[in-house]
Amino acid sequence: MATATDARPAAAPGGPRPNRNGISERGLARLFISPSITAMAIVALFPILYAVVLSFYEYVGLQQGGFTALGNYVDALTDGRFWDSVIATFVFTVFSVTFEFLIGMGFALIMHQAFVGRGVARATILIPWVIPTVIAAQMWRYMFEVTPGFINWALPFVPDDFNWLGSSGWAMFTIIFADVWKTAPFVALLLLAGLQTIPEEVYEAGRVDGASAWQRFTRITLPLLRPAILVAMLFRTTDALRIYDLPAVMTRGAFGTETLSVLVQDFVIATPNPGFASTLSVLTFILVLGVGVLLVSVLGKELVLGDEA
Amino acid sequence: MTTRAWSAALVLVLAVLAAGCLRGSSPTDAISEDELIWAISVNDRPTHELVAQAWNEAHPDTPVRIEWLPPDANEQRRQLFLELNAGSSLFDVVSMDVIWTGEFANNGWIDDLSELRDQVEGNSLQASVDSCTWDGALWCLPYSSNAGFLYYRTDLVEEPPTTWPELVEVGLQAAEEAGISPYVAQGAQYEGMVVNFLEYFWSAGGQIISDDESQATFAEGDAARTALEFMRDAQRNGFYAPGFNTLIEDPARLQFQRGDAVFMRNWPYAYPLLSGEDEENPSAVAGKFDIAPLPTFDGEGTISALGGFNLAINAFSRKKDLAREFILFASQEQDTQMILGRRSLPPTLQAVYDALADDPAMALLSEVLPEAQARPPLPTWNSISQAMQDNVFPAYNGTKSVDAAIEAIQAEVEDAVSIGGQ
């Protein structure tokens, strides 16, 4: 991504030309970006590569044993707990991203309208997104707990002793609910930015041609919003696949809510095994990368790689 | 030079300056050179504060400052793990749960204190000293101890039951009459639930590993099955309060304190709170509850899991002499240990129990502590505990079969025993 955008200014009229001091403009550009490339390599690339290296070693507690090649990978892929957490992660991702997208789109359309109190409405909608996730998780856990039981008290058709956090299925529901509550405003923000780039004239032309409100939405808004939708989906999906704080705080991974990150963290600290933890991290990385690539290829390669691709 | 080059140079200079600022403001610099840092759980906060205050009055030049750790045992270990594994000298004195000794010692995180053994032995409770002993060496000094009590409502129950099945029977009936829940305890998926499970398991005659620590005996006999089936039935028939599987210590205490439960298994810290000693925190059960030893399956004796905190010196500390002086002060001075005793945080100094024999919580503790069972101090204890959390929890909630759970835990105990001595 970075190289594709960096190449553009250099392709400007004139092309590479030596400047007065003898360094070409492209050379100067390379010189200037080299510190940031180095910094990126140290903070981003090194840990990833180091995790890959560690994942080939066997550990007993924190003490390194021997090189096992793919031994940890075989253990992970034949472990039911790993697959359970893959399923939990995907269930969480599919449901939370879907609802966040639908609700976020609704919010964005509302915030885009001109009406009295629009500023207040925009600010209100964004409040959940500003609250740190751990705090939001604590808050929702408290609300869903049987005692004091705010949710059970507030909902008329739910028995007072309904145990949301401690029953199969509902435990995952509470986590998805909390995530949608928190992140739908973020999706709305991204989509709103997209909506504001659509010129009003296009809608006027549509109205002149007699398009209904629904037709204007599906034929004008959605296609022109595609770049914003892609960005929102990409951000949310890759983010949701790494979910840790909500299940860790709300259910401690009980009742099928142990996501991949919760599992990894278990092998980092609870039962330390850096080799196996790295293996799980690498697998998570591959999974997130795979889903990201898939999303980009489905929703629009040209949006990410530039027009020429 | 071109304008562009100039601005690039400016950015570079600013970046270097910013990096310098960041380095200058690291958190360790804020700590005074003479201050001792003691990391301990935020549970029983006022008691620990009084201990720190007593030290500070006697040592105004080298005061101690407390860094609070989270209330949940798993979280405390997580935080200490991150600090110590990184070789941080931030904490000088670390408070370890009785089960962490082997692991922390094996990882080289704490100092060997064997030369203090003579000062401790005979003065501190033997079980607590044993929990500080690993591989023949002494790694910490006992600060507080802990054992489970059965709290019961004297207005609803005449005599505290002595067997678990009787407890269920009495609890269900009394709860129905009063319109409240029968039983609250520690049921969430964490170390506290493991302790509760082990109390059933031990009182059914179970043993996790053989005495010489060479054999995994978890699945021998039918203790594991008795304990798990008891828990599963209690969850099914409503003996466990609604939401039991999300409860930890303090929410359970609050529920009992509001008068919403007939029985509670909890640590002694709840006693003064339930008696209404904290004015800001009124108790609906003051004068209407009492404490008893935990039941067993055959009605003979009582068994509780031994809890408590031991104080160790961070191997990376830069104030080791001072830290040593402090842990001797906190664990061996009778005045300090009396602070704990008066506030129902079980002390570890034998003399305090004799001095406070009139206090009901202290009296029950002297009865219960000699019978308390320690969890094996293996460095791999945490994997066993984790296996119990991952299997006991679904088994009692009915999402995993009892047989599969026993098999999985036994396999983990076997692994832990085979690599335990390393």
Side-chain angles (χ1 to χ4, degrees):
Chain A
M1 241 168 103
T3 47
T5 40
D6 288 335
R8 264 192 224 168
R17 62 186 156 84
N19 80 359
R20 263 171 288 163
N21 294 351
I23 309 172
S24 74
E25 199 160 314
R26 190 172 286 184
L28 199 62
R30 288 207 181 108
L31 188 69
F32 282 163
I33 59 167
S34 59
S36 47
I37 298 270
T38 316
M40 288 263 284
I42 292 170
V43 298
L45 204 59
F46 172 73
I48 294 173
L49 293 179
Y50 192 57
V52 174
V53 171
L54 283 188
S55 73
F56 295 132
Y57 283 89
E58 198 175 3
Y59 273 82
V60 176
L62 289 172
Q63 273 110 41
Q64 201 176 53
F67 184 79
T68 83
L70 294 176
N72 286 329
Y73 288 89
V74 173
D75 285 351
L77 295 171
T78 53
D79 184 358
R81 205 171 154 202
F82 170 74
W83 291 108
D84 285 348
S85 66
V86 170
I87 293 170
T89 309
F90 273 96
V91 168
F92 171 81
T93 305
V94 168
F95 281 97
S96 66
V97 173
T98 308
F99 283 105
E100 275 154 24
F101 178 71
L102 294 177
I103 294 171
M105 178 67 94
F107 280 173
L109 291 172
I110 292 171
M111 289 195 284
H112 191 50
Q113 303 301 314
F115 57 89
V116 182
R118 182 169 75 161
V120 178
R122 280 185 186 179
T124 323
I125 285 172
L126 284 175
I127 287 175
W129 180 61
V130 190
I131 296 175
T133 314
V134 212
I135 312 272
Q138 287 282 8
M139 187 185 81
W140 282 110
R141 184 179 78 177
Y142 196 60
M143 305 260 272
F144 274 111
E145 259 170 8
V146 178
T147 41
F150 289 123
I151 301 270
N152 289 346
W153 172 79
L155 297 179
F157 301 111
V158 176
D160 275 350
D161 58 0
F162 191 78
N163 192 358
W164 295 90
L165 298 165
S167 2
S168 309
W170 290 112
M172 180 58 92
F173 168 83
T174 59
I175 290 170
I176 294 171
F177 183 91
D179 194 61
V180 171
W181 175 84
K182 178 166 161 51
T183 327
F186 174 68
V187 177
L189 200 68
L190 291 177
L191 295 180
L192 178 66
L195 281 177
Q196 285 172 342
T197 61
I198 303 175
E200 192 51 37
E201 295 81 49
V202 188
Y203 288 104
E204 271 167 30
R207 252 180 243 119
V208 170
D209 289 345
S212 68
W214 176 249
Q215 280 171 327
R216 288 201 300 275
F217 178 69
T218 54
R219 301 287 172 84
I220 300 174
T221 311
L222 281 185
L224 290 177
L225 204 54
R226 207 166 74 151
I229 293 176
L230 173 70
V231 169
M233 294 287 274
L234 200 63
F235 270 39
R236 279 313 304 146
T237 310
T238 48
D239 220 27
L241 288 170
R242 303 181 291 117
I243 185 73
Y244 171 74
D245 22 23
L246 289 172
V249 170
M250 292 176 71
T251 60
R252 301 161 192 261
F255 294 109
T257 58
E258 186 172 70
T259 60
L260 277 167
S261 300
V262 174
L263 186 68
V264 170
Q265 210 271 351
D266 235 24
F267 283 100
V268 175
I269 287 172
T271 50
N273 183 334
F276 197 66
S278 301
T279 306
L280 293 171
S281 298
V282 171
L283 290 173
T284 311
F285 175 75
I286 293 171
L287 210 72
V288 175
L289 191 70
V291 172
V293 167
L294 194 76
L295 265 181
V296 169
S297 65
V298 169
L299 278 165
K301 217 182 302 182
E302 73 278 10
L303 293 171
V304 175
L305 301 178
D307 301 329
E308 64 269 31
Chain B
M1 263 174 140
T2 60
T3 343
R4 214 186 271 184
W6 272 113
S7 41
L10 186 69
V11 168
L12 255 176
V13 170
L14 283 176
V16 170
L17 282 177
C21 293
L22 283 177
R23 193 153 9 100
S25 63
S26 79
T28 38
D29 288 2
I31 295 161
S32 125
E33 272 307 302
D34 304 321
E35 210 173 33
L36 194 67
I37 308 294
W38 174 26
I40 191 160
S41 152
V42 75
N43 291 332
D44 302 300
R45 179 175 184 149
T47 312
H48 306 316
E49 273 169 352
L50 285 174
V51 170
Q53 205 180 319
W55 165 268
N56 292 347
E57 275 162 20
H59 305 80
D61 297 336
T62 52
V64 65
R65 189 160 67 82
I66 305 181
E67 275 292 333
W68 299 109
L69 299 178
D72 168 335
N74 289 9
E75 298 294 324
Q76 286 159 28
R77 184 177 159 283
R78 192 188 310 261
Q79 197 145 331
L80 289 178
F81 184 103
L82 289 172
E83 285 292 330
L84 297 173
N85 195 31
S88 155
S89 61
L90 182 61
F91 304 143
D92 300 300
V93 176
V94 291
S95 310
M96 304 189 301
D97 201 321
V98 286
I99 49 181
W100 301 337
T101 311
E103 185 191 14
F104 281 36
N106 254 23
N107 289 336
W109 292 343
I110 51 176
D111 277 1
D112 185 341
L113 301 175
S114 295
E115 75 272 15
L116 299 178
R117 187 183 281 279
D118 292 341
Q119 296 187 52
V120 177
E121 228 144 49
N123 293 329
S124 294
L125 299 174
Q126 192 55 44
S128 300
V129 178
D130 288 345
S131 75
C132 273
T133 306
W134 167 250
D135 208 13
L138 188 77
W139 298 95
C140 45
L141 302 191
Y143 170 65
S144 65
S145 177
N146 233 344
F149 284 174
L150 177 70
Y151 292 80
Y152 67 99
R153 290 279 295 276
T154 46
D155 55 337
L156 304 173
V157 178
E158 282 175 21
E159 281 290 311
T162 54
T163 72
W164 290 113
E166 192 190 340
L167 186 79
V168 174
E169 199 182 311
V170 175
L172 283 171
Q173 201 186 341
E176 202 182 334
E177 283 164 16
I180 55 176
S181 300
Y183 185 71
V184 290
Q186 294 75 45
Q189 191 171 359
Y190 79 123
E191 180 76 25
M193 182 212 66
V194 172
V195 166
N196 279 244
F197 163 72
L198 287 174
E199 285 167 349
Y200 301 122
F201 172 75
W202 283 324
S203 72
Q207 200 177 0
I208 304 170
I209 53 174
S210 58
D211 288 331
D212 61 359
E213 292 177 358
S214 68
Q215 299 290 321
T217 54
F218 178 78
E220 267 173 36
D222 52 6
R225 176 178 308 280
T226 308
L228 281 175
E229 285 177 354
F230 173 84
M231 291 175 81
R232 192 193 55 196
D233 294 346
Q235 174 74 359
R236 271 191 200 153
N237 65 23
F239 175 67
Y240 286 167
F244 187 88
N245 56 16
T246 60
L247 276 183
I248 65 170
E249 280 86 357
D250 222 37
R253 190 266 302 170
L254 277 167
Q255 211 165 329
F256 191 84
Q257 189 164 336
R258 275 198 306 267
D260 289 344
V262 182
F263 292 116
M264 170 173 76
R265 183 257 174 236
N266 217 327
W267 308 99
Y269 85 97
Y271 191 82
L273 293 165
L274 296 174
S275 310
E277 281 180 22
D278 181 359
E279 281 169 15
E280 286 173 16
N281 201 345
S283 170
V285 295
K288 290 195 281 187
F289 81 98
D290 206 350
I291 43 178
L294 287 173
T296 56
F297 277 99
D298 59 6
E300 297 291 316
T302 175
I303 280 181
S304 163
L306 181 78
F309 283 109
N310 298 320
L311 303 182
I313 299 176
N314 179 354
F316 314 104
S317 165
R318 279 170 290 187
K319 296 162 198 159
K320 288 187 179 178
D321 292 339
L322 195 59
R324 173 174 307 206
E325 217 179 305
F326 176 77
I327 63 175
L328 277 168
F329 168 85
S331 78
Q332 300 302 311
E333 292 274 337
Q334 185 161 347
D335 289 346
T336 320
Q337 288 277 307
M338 284 292 272
I339 297 175
L340 275 63
R342 289 213 185 84
R343 303 188 54 89
S344 292
L345 177 63
T348 48
L349 208 58
Q350 185 60 52
V352 176
Y353 286 91
D354 305 333
L356 292 175
D358 294 340
D359 180 292
M362 287 294 119
L364 183 60
L365 271 170
S366 350
E367 187 185 328
V368 169
L369 278 175
E371 307 295 325
Q373 279 262 8
R375 287 157 278 176
L378 296 170
T380 42
W381 168 255
N382 217 55
S383 342
I384 299 179
S385 166
Q386 196 64 36
M388 289 183 177
Q389 293 175 34
D390 292 343
N391 290 286
V392 170
F393 186 81
Y396 99 76
N397 281 290
T399 53
K400 184 168 196 166
S401 83
V402 166
D403 286 317
I406 293 176
E407 207 175 298
I409 298 171
Q410 169 71 14
E412 190 59 49
V413 178
E414 277 168 15
D415 274 4
V417 168
S418 69
I419 56 174
Q422 290 183 358

